[in-house]
């Protein structure tokens, strides 16, 4: 095998992730600041509209996570290495770039929100202004530095330290969600929250909420095999991610949704900019412990984000070790975290990021899943994934069918998302995924028949 394209496949005897480890990893991945913030954003859809979109978009997305998780445990390779089978060994650079940028972005999102908590902690001990007040940027910058340093320490410490963080994190997350729920419903009843009406000029369509949640949830799908390749059993690789990710997203998005509406009822003002957990925790008077827990939940989520981003970089530059790739992506994510400090509000930056993720990610996942389960009938040879003379080389290392259909999917998404009907009722993401999946299957069937005739 050409070392330039070499792929690492984890042998079953070296796979040590238990069902609990896998479950905790995916609970921790979603029980984080970004999920909370998403809950606050979809509050613009109303409580019941937000809940319906959350259940539907998350369930569909995590069924896809199960499928990619299954691919990982069967082959022992990362998601981006698996993308070589459908996009070509060289063509997999497209999914890798998408994965690298989106997981660097998610790392930055969680780091930014956690850094806001650090600014509140610094305010408590040193009297520094919190972020959002005049002079508050200093506390935020120190917070970004602190969180990035913690991420670097966990990477240097290795996979075992990440597992320990996840195990501790899941316990703290459960305690925090219960605590937060008690505080939220203490002053504002559930019936008030459920009956709250969104101001008409801020109302979000159900389809837009679906796209927002799809962009958030589908991001984890392209990290699925990065973790399930360390498991021995298919049931661990499929049900543990599905249950863990859903529990995490339902728990934290629900409390973000409820807390944001609760504050809107109490103050008479709904402002999505104030949906981040640090701001809400401060308004609800939860104090220092809540801010520390928010920092820890950021670490549990970013353990997954950084691993996925590092795997993508490693697929692009195979001469780098995985640890070197993880360190590089952490440094890049740190720099990206500063963008909202200097350019516009965090909400505006976050919304633009979600639009990008939804547009580019769906078609990639659709093509990969269809290729493995319907075209290749669950038969990938890991050794062939790094063979420039093998079946996954296609034409000059690129499978142009997959690449062109990916571009078509991006265009479809851009056009559909502008339609009022789509914004109001369906969203564009899953429609595009279905269309691209069907087109890919049909074209591949045609190519197979042609090759058989010739």
């Amino acid at each position: 095998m050409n070392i330039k394209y070499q792929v690492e496949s984890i042998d079953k005897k070296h796979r040590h992730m238990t069902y609990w480890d896998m479950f905790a990893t995916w609970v921790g991945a979603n029980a984080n600041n970004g999920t909370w913030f998403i809950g606050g954003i979809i509050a613009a859809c109303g409580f019941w509209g937000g809940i319906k979109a959350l259940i539907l978009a998350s369930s569909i997305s995590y069924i896809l996570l199960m499928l990619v998780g299954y691919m990982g445990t069967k082959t022992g390779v990362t998601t981006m290495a698996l993308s070589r089978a459908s996009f070509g060994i060289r063509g997999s650079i497209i999914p890798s770039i998408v994965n690298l940028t989106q997981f660097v972005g998610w790392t930055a999102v969680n780091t930014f929100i956690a850094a806001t908590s650090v600014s509140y902690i610094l305010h408590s001990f040193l009297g520094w202004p919190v972020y959002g007040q005049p002079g508050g940027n200093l506390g935020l910058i120190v917070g970004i530095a602190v969180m990035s340093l913690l991420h670097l320490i966990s990477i240097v410490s290795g996979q075992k330290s990440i597992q320990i963080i996840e195990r501790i994190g899941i316990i703290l997350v459960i305690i925090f969600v219960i605590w937060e729920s008690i505080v939220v419903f203490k002053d504002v009843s559930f019936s008030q929250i459920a009956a709250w009406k969104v101001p008409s000029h801020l109302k979000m369509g159900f389809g837009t909420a679906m796209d927002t949640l799809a962009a958030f949830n589908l991001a984890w799908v392209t990290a699925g095999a990065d973790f399930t390749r360390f498991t021995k059993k298919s049931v661990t690789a499929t049900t543990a991610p599905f249950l863990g990710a859903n529990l995490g997203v339902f728990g934290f998005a629900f409390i973000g949704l409820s807390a944001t509406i609760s504050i809107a009822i109490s103050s008479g003002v709904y402002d999505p900019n104030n949906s981040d957990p640090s701001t809400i925790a401060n308004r609800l008077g939860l104090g220092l412990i809540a801010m520390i827990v928010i920092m820890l939940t950021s670490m549990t989520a970013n353990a997954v984000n950084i691993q996925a981003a590092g795997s993508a970089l490693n697929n692009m530059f195979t001469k780098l070790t995985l640890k070197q790739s993880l360190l590089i992506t952490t440094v890049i994510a740190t720099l990206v975290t500063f963008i909202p400090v200097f350019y516009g509000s965090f909400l505006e930056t976050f919304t633009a990021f979600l639009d990008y993720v939804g547009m580019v990610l769906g078609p990639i996942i659709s093509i990969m899943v269809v290729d493995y389960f319907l075209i290749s009938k669950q038969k990938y040879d890991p050794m062939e994934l790094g063979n420039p003379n093998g079946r996954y080389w296609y034409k000059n290392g690129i499978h142009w069918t997959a690449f062109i259909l990916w571009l078509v999917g991006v265009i479809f998404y851009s056009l559909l998302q502008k339609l009022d009907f789509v914004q109001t009722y369906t969203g564009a993401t899953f429609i595009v995924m279905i269309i691209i999946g069907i087109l890919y299957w049909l074209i591949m069937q045609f190519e197979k028949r042609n090759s058989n005739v010739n």
Side-chain angles (χ1 to χ4, degrees):
M1 184 189 297
N2 189 328
I3 193 169
K4 182 179 179 181
Y5 302 113
Q6 188 171 352
V7 170
E8 180 191 27
S9 177
I10 305 297
D11 191 273
K12 282 199 173 183
K13 65 184 178 183
H14 298 305
R15 302 183 190 184
H16 304 298
M17 283 195 81
T18 65
Y19 195 98
W20 173 251
D21 286 330
M22 186 60 63
F23 178 74
T25 293
W26 289 104
V27 172
N30 262 342
N32 65 62
N33 312 314
T35 312
W36 185 324
F37 195 69
I38 283 284
I41 290 175
I42 63 171
C45 198
F47 179 80
W48 290 115
I51 291 294
K52 289 174 187 176
L54 179 62
I55 292 172
L56 187 57
S58 300
S59 298
I60 295 171
S61 299
Y62 296 138
I63 288 171
L64 293 167
L65 176 62
M66 290 177 69
L67 296 176
V68 173
Y70 181 84
M71 293 162 64
T73 196
K74 285 298 180 183
T75 59
V77 302
T78 65
T79 312
M80 290 302 97
L82 286 168
S83 73
R84 294 180 175 192
S86 49
F87 282 83
I89 292 175
R90 283 179 173 168
S92 68
I93 192 173
I94 295 299
S96 296
I97 290 172
V98 169
N99 229 32
L100 175 64
T101 54
Q102 66 131 340
F103 279 112
V104 163
W106 283 118
T107 302
V109 166
N110 284 306
T111 300
F112 188 94
I113 297 173
T116 305
S117 291
V118 175
S119 79
Y120 279 102
I121 294 171
L122 292 172
H123 174 74
S124 299
F125 283 100
L126 303 176
W128 291 12
V130 299
Y131 176 65
Q133 296 177 349
N137 279 359
L138 178 60
L140 182 75
I141 291 169
V142 171
I144 292 171
V146 168
M147 293 308 303
S148 299
L149 180 61
L150 291 173
H151 295 147
L152 288 170
I153 291 171
S154 69
I155 290 167
V156 171
S157 301
Q159 183 71 26
K160 294 261 184 188
S161 71
I162 293 175
Q163 288 183 10
I164 291 170
I165 290 170
E166 298 292 357
R167 289 173 180 177
I168 295 173
I170 188 174
I171 297 170
L172 291 173
V173 161
I174 291 170
I175 294 171
F176 187 48
V177 167
I178 293 171
W179 179 25
E180 178 78 7
S181 300
I182 291 170
V183 174
V184 167
F185 294 111
K186 181 180 178 181
D187 297 322
V188 180
S189 69
F190 176 78
S191 59
Q192 287 178 288
I193 291 173
W196 177 71
K197 300 295 182 184
V198 188
S200 57
H201 66 288
L202 294 173
K203 191 169 181 62
M204 175 187 288
F206 181 79
T208 302
M210 285 289 290
D211 280 336
T212 300
L213 288 162
F216 178 80
N217 291 317
L218 288 176
W220 292 129
V221 175
T222 52
D226 296 5
F227 293 89
T228 59
R229 71 192 188 119
F230 293 104
T231 64
K232 295 178 180 178
K233 298 179 180 178
S234 297
V235 68
T236 302
T238 54
T239 61
F242 179 82
L243 295 173
N246 271 306
L247 179 61
V249 76
F250 290 152
F252 255 53
F254 173 80
I255 201 61
L257 172 66
S258 301
T260 302
I261 293 176
S262 173
I263 289 175
I265 292 170
S266 302
S267 65
V269 177
Y270 167 62
D271 183 0
N273 279 294
N274 295 328
S275 300
D276 74 273
S278 302
T279 301
I280 290 176
N282 181 65
R283 289 195 174 196
L284 294 174
L286 299 185
L288 185 63
I289 296 176
M291 301 301 174
I292 294 172
V293 173
I294 290 170
M295 290 172 60
L296 290 173
T297 59
S298 171
M299 289 185 66
T300 63
N302 281 348
V304 181
N305 288 324
I306 293 169
Q307 180 82 20
S311 295
L313 186 65
N314 190 234
N315 185 59
M316 294 162 63
F317 302 99
T318 52
K319 289 184 179 179
L320 292 173
T321 66
L322 181 58
K323 183 169 281 190
Q324 288 172 335
S325 299
L326 295 173
L327 291 171
I328 290 169
T329 53
T330 302
V331 172
I332 295 172
T334 300
L335 298 175
V336 173
T337 308
F338 285 99
I339 291 176
V341 179
F342 303 106
Y343 301 98
S345 73
F346 176 68
L347 179 64
E348 290 173 353
T349 306
F350 186 56
T351 302
F353 171 64
L354 286 176
D355 286 342
Y356 159 77
V357 172
M359 178 175 64
V360 299
L361 201 59
I364 290 174
I365 295 169
S366 185
I367 289 168
M368 287 181 62
V369 168
V370 169
D371 189 85
Y372 181 77
F373 288 97
L374 300 183
I375 305 300
S376 298
K377 308 297 183 186
Q378 304 178 34
K379 293 177 182 177
Y380 279 178
D381 182 353
M383 296 299 291
E384 284 290 289
L385 292 171
N387 182 6
N389 299 310
R391 60 185 291 196
Y392 303 126
W393 188 247
Y394 297 103
K395 188 172 182 180
N396 297 320
I398 301 171
H399 187 199
W400 288 102
T401 299
F403 177 73
I404 292 170
L405 279 177
W406 172 70
L407 287 178
V408 170
V410 170
I411 295 168
F412 275 1
Y413 180 91
S414 302
L415 295 174
L416 282 174
Q417 205 185 36
K418 295 176 182 177
L419 300 177
D420 290 339
F421 179 85
V422 171
Q423 290 180 4
T424 304
Y425 298 108
T426 63
T429 307
F430 295 121
I431 293 175
V432 169
M433 291 182 73
I434 292 169
I435 292 172
I436 295 303
I438 292 172
L439 287 175
Y440 183 74
W441 183 81
L442 289 172
I443 292 171
M444 290 301 291
Q445 294 302 312
F446 177 76
E447 289 182 0
K448 274 188 177 181
R449 287 196 191 99
N450 259 8
S451 64
N452 289 336
V453 171
N454 295 333

